[in-house]
Amino acid sequence: MSRSAQFAVAASAVVVAVCAVVLTAKVLWFSGLPVEARQEMTFNSAELAKRVQRVLGDRGELPGISSGMSCPEHVVIRSGNAFGCSVVHDDKVKTVRIVVTDAEAGTIQVGKLEG
């Protein structure tokens, strides 16, 4: 067998081996290896608004009847995430800063009512 023929056979063997490894890896990857797909959890804005209003009421920051407490939709529950909720109180729109302190427990820190 000539030298070029030997080289061609050796190169073909390497190509076949590489293709076999790649194909095996793809089959294993798509057929059973655990793949982590994380879906980020979000707060229910209506329930969150009730929690915030309850905290503000317990602290005496909302004397009398307040209305229009609202928190943004689709707030991701991630530690350190900060956002604002608003409330209409005495015909004024006031805001309160919320910080997620523990994502696993859904714990929040409710700031002072401002505005």
Side-chain angles (χ1 to χ4, degrees), residues 8-26:
V9 168
S12 296
V14 169
V15 168
V16 168
V18 168
C19 289
V21 169
V22 169
L23 181 60
T24 302
K26 283 188 175 186

Side-chain angles (χ1 to χ4, degrees), residues 50-99:
K50 287 178 187 176
R51 283 175 63 186
V52 172
Q53 187 167 354
R54 188 170 37 250
V55 169
L56 293 173
D58 290 348
R59 292 194 315 212
E61 292 186 46
L62 290 177
I65 298 173
S66 298
S67 64
M69 173 64 75
S70 65
C71 294
E73 299 281 332
H74 310 294
V75 174
V76 175
I77 303 172
R78 184 182 308 129
S79 294
N81 194 11
F83 55 94
C85 293
S86 61
V87 63
V88 177
H89 182 254
D90 293 335
D91 296 326
K92 295 180 184 175
V93 177
K94 298 185 178 188
T95 59
V96 60
R97 185 171 190 256
I98 310 298
V99 178

Side-chain angles (χ1 to χ4, degrees), residues 3-4 18 33 40 44 49 75:
R3 240 178 136 75
S4 62
V18 168
L33 285 179
E40 294 187 306
N44 173 313
V75 174

